[in-house]
Amino acid sequence: MRLQVCVLGIILSLGAGMAGAQAPKAAAKAAGSNVDTMPPELKALIDPDTAEVLKRINGLSPYETPDLRLRQDTVYANTPVDYEPFGAIKPYKEHFLKQMEYTGPGRAIPEPGMDLKSVKIGFIGPIMSTVSVATGGKSHEEALGIKMLQGAKLAMEEWNARGGYFRRHIPFEMDTRNDNGLWGASGSEIINMAYKNGDWAILGTIDGANSHIAIRVALKAEIVMMNTGDTDPTFIETNIPWVMRCIGDDRQMGYLLMDYVLRKTKYSRIGIIRASNRYGRFGVREINDSARRMQHPVLIEMAYRVGSVDFSLQLERMKEANLDAVIHWGDAAEGALVLNQMRKMGMNQPFFASDRSVSPEFVKTAGANAEGVICGYPWNPDHKDPKLDQFREAFRKRFNAEPDTYAAHAYDGMNMLIWATQVAGLNRAKIRDVLAYRTKPWPGVTHDIPFGAALDDLGEVFLAKFENGGWHYHSREDLNIPRGYIPARDRVNRATGAIDPMKPPPQK
């Protein structure tokens, strides 16, 4: 009798395994994974390259890896040769040039049952004031997070107005969480979104320290996390295949600033004043490294506590250094106060700053001193694009306010996540795949967004200069800023996308 039970158990186990192997294919078929059988509104979202990606990732068993070519860059983040570490010495290994691959069984997970009422996309950002361990005091990024939430919400509402999730005609729903800055809290929120609430992807956040915690939990939960507000260069340098970013980072903006400062204006005596948090500390790393490699190392770097109003100690020491230029990296409020105190002390050096100073708050506080200030900026809000005009009009109508960079990039990021969910279906691994292997830049309102091998935004960045009462945005070409030498063999056409992931690389 016991033998019969064992045999029966084995047979049932084998049957369950065979059924499990067939379940993904059945679920994919039921969800309309064949492009030819998809509803027209869904087919319109899928270009031929994406259709080929879907063909290769659908119907796989848990033991199969899709036949997709990984992106391979030759230069990381368009770094000029003379800004690279080690000088002319070739390092043993260069990181972030080859795309991370996901080889897990997630693509074989079947879609949920047809009783699903909505498709949830997570949002995590600083939207409510708290006391933050990371900053050592009261949180300070709520104004940025609220704009980010509004941009993401607008994108989702527009998709719902078009019919929601096309495969089942159910709405998208935002699972909104506050990134309160308490150590580890952001990781707990990712757990809630990924496991308890069943979110299919997540958008967020802004604070660099919290983002790093969140993406490590996202790695374990195997869920896409799209960043639209954290410009910390190390965010995508974590070798996590579930992480991507659709905003230019401080590395890119730092390179452009240093090209202007060192190559065009020929300033050589540079000083830095920055916030003591992660944003300030990591934001100036490439500026420090670039200046040193160009043989004009930063002479002095002074830090201040976030929320400070008196910078006399830092500025007295910087004044003694006889600087050619001053660079500030921190929030707009402190940046304006630093600038005003500099001018009051007779320090008339050119003032450069991070993108957060491109704000009404900075201009209001700095007053006349804002004239001539130059900041790095991840996009050009004045570029001519009907999509941008439509976004601005819709944002004003919905929120009775002007959108800022956090709203615009969140709008692009949420659109990218929902597009991927529409075309891939309700499977987190496939949502990641259609984004990671997309061959064409995403046509965003901020700019066309081409991903590099590290799944970072390699679109053009700009310098914003305050002149005659307003910010004016200039490309490298506009300002005739010479770019550091990049060998011809290492140049990649970012405007058209780097690779075709379905074709094998050329043979040497």
Side-chain angles (χ1 to χ4, degrees):
M1 180 67 180
R2 183 176 299 175
L3 178 61
Q4 291 176 330
V5 170
C6 291
V7 172
L8 179 61
I10 293 172
I11 293 172
L12 290 174
S13 298
L14 290 172
M18 294 175 63
Q22 296 298 321
K25 295 182 179 181
K29 184 177 180 180
S33 59
N34 187 336
V35 175
D36 293 334
T37 63
M38 290 179 178
E41 63 268 30
L42 184 53
K43 289 176 66 175
L45 302 178
I46 303 174
D47 59 84
D49 288 345
T50 301
E52 182 64 25
V53 171
L54 291 172
K55 179 181 176 182
R56 294 177 182 233
I57 65 177
N58 283 328
L60 297 176
S61 78
Y63 307 104
E64 293 179 286
T65 301
D67 181 21
L68 294 169
R69 179 186 159 206
L70 302 177
R71 297 176 189 268
Q72 178 72 55
D73 290 343
T74 50
V75 171
Y76 175 54
N78 291 329
T79 306
V81 167
D82 42 10
Y83 287 174
E84 289 184 345
F86 311 114
I89 301 173
K90 186 72 173 177
Y92 177 73
K93 181 176 177 61
E94 293 179 301
H95 295 279
F96 317 122
L97 297 180
K98 187 172 183 179
Q99 182 177 344
M100 287 290 295
E101 185 177 13
Y102 172 66
T103 58
R107 300 175 184 90
I109 297 174
E111 290 221 0
M114 299 306 291
D115 59 343
L116 197 68
K117 303 301 182 185
S118 65
V119 175
K120 293 181 179 179
I121 305 291
F123 172 94
I124 181 168
I127 54 178
M128 292 185 293
S129 180
T130 61
V131 175
S132 170
V133 174
T135 61
K138 188 175 181 294
S139 58
H140 60 284
E141 295 173 336
E142 288 74 38
L144 315 181
I146 290 171
K147 287 293 187 181
M148 187 167 77
L149 175 61
Q150 290 173 338
K153 185 178 293 186
L154 178 62
M156 182 172 286
E157 289 173 353
E158 290 178 348
W159 280 101
N160 282 335
R162 294 170 59 184
Y165 181 58
F166 296 149
R167 295 169 187 259
R168 303 196 186 186
H169 304 291
I170 57 177
F172 288 95
E173 179 184 350
M174 189 176 297
D175 182 12
T176 305
R177 305 283 172 149
N178 183 45
D179 182 11
N180 63 21
L182 296 174
W183 190 257
S186 55
S188 298
E189 296 293 14
I190 301 300
I191 290 172
N192 289 330
M193 288 188 280
Y195 292 110
K196 294 183 179 180
N197 281 19
D199 295 358
W200 296 98
I202 299 171
L203 185 145
T205 179
I206 295 176
D207 180 81
N210 297 347
S211 293
H212 271 268
I213 296 170
I215 61 178
R216 281 160 175 79
V217 181
L219 169 64
K220 295 297 184 182
E222 297 186 339
I223 186 170
V224 169
M225 191 158 184
M226 173 72 73
N227 188 277
T228 66
D230 178 11
T231 55
D232 178 351
T234 65
F235 175 82
I236 45 81
E237 296 174 352
T238 49
N239 287 335
I240 296 176
W242 297 88
V243 169
M244 51 199 70
R245 174 165 54 193
C246 68
I247 184 173
D249 66 12
D250 289 336
R251 177 186 293 275
Q252 299 281 354
M253 291 183 278
Y255 286 155
L256 181 55
L257 269 175
M258 295 314 290
D259 277 349
Y260 183 87
V261 170
L262 297 175
R263 300 185 197 276
K264 183 175 177 65
T265 60
K266 307 295 183 183
Y267 296 135
S268 59
R269 300 182 63 83
I270 303 165
I272 293 175
I273 180 169
R274 63 166 178 82
S276 60
N277 59 4
R278 186 184 180 93
Y279 175 70
R281 187 169 65 255
F282 279 76
V284 301
R285 285 206 319 178
E286 296 308 319
I287 289 173
N288 269 308
D289 289 347
S290 299
R292 184 178 67 254
R293 290 164 189 156
M294 290 292 286
Q295 301 181 24
H296 295 295
V298 171
L299 296 181
I300 184 171
E301 179 177 333
M302 301 298 296
Y304 60 82
R305 188 181 182 89
V306 173
S308 297
V309 295
D310 181 8
F311 308 92
S312 55
L313 173 63
Q314 293 89 341
L315 293 177
E316 285 290 352
R317 294 183 180 179
M318 297 181 77
K319 186 176 183 179
E320 293 172 0
N322 191 28
L323 302 172
D324 293 337
V326 171
I327 297 175
H328 171 260
W329 219 268
D331 290 339
E334 286 94 334
L337 293 175
V338 167
L339 176 59
N340 289 343
Q341 291 179 31
M342 277 180 56
R343 299 299 185 243
K344 190 174 181 179
M345 293 170 59
M347 297 177 65
N348 297 315
Q349 293 93 338
F351 188 83
F352 300 90
S354 66
D355 61 301
R356 290 192 181 181
S357 288
V358 182
S359 74
E361 182 182 17
F362 177 88
V363 174
K364 181 180 178 180
T365 304
N369 290 330
E371 188 70 17
V373 169
I374 295 177
C375 304
Y377 211 62
W379 67 301
N380 177 8
D382 291 340
H383 76 279
K384 304 302 181 185
D385 186 342
K387 297 192 301 295
L388 178 57
D389 295 337
Q390 292 168 10
F391 162 69
R392 282 202 176 106
E393 182 179 354
F395 192 94
R396 294 184 192 116
K397 183 177 180 180
R398 175 66 175 83
F399 300 107
N400 195 29
E402 289 293 324
D404 66 359
T405 181
Y406 293 92
H409 283 94
Y411 180 82
D412 280 346
M414 183 57 73
N415 273 313
M416 293 173 75
L417 290 179
I418 292 180
W419 169 82
T421 305
Q422 294 275 29
V423 303
L426 299 182
N427 179 290
R428 291 173 180 170
K430 293 179 182 180
I431 291 169
R432 174 207 170 268
D433 284 344
V434 296
L435 287 167
Y437 294 101
R438 184 181 170 92
T439 59
K440 298 178 181 178
W442 178 262
V445 300
T446 53
H447 54 217
D448 285 350
I449 302 170
F451 276 162
L455 302 184
D456 54 334
D457 180 0
L458 292 182
E460 187 174 17
V461 296
F462 294 79
L463 291 184
K465 186 174 183 179
F466 193 80
E467 298 175 293
N468 302 318
W471 292 102
H472 300 273
Y473 303 88
H474 306 280
S475 67
R476 181 184 295 274
E477 288 69 26
D478 293 337
L479 296 169
N480 193 27
I481 301 175
R483 183 189 291 273
Y485 175 65
I486 300 177
R489 63 180 172 79
D490 289 344
R491 295 183 188 133
V492 178
N493 186 350
R494 303 297 184 191
T496 59
I499 63 164
D500 180 345
M502 266 63 71
K503 294 181 180 178
Q507 297 296 319
K508 292 184 179 180

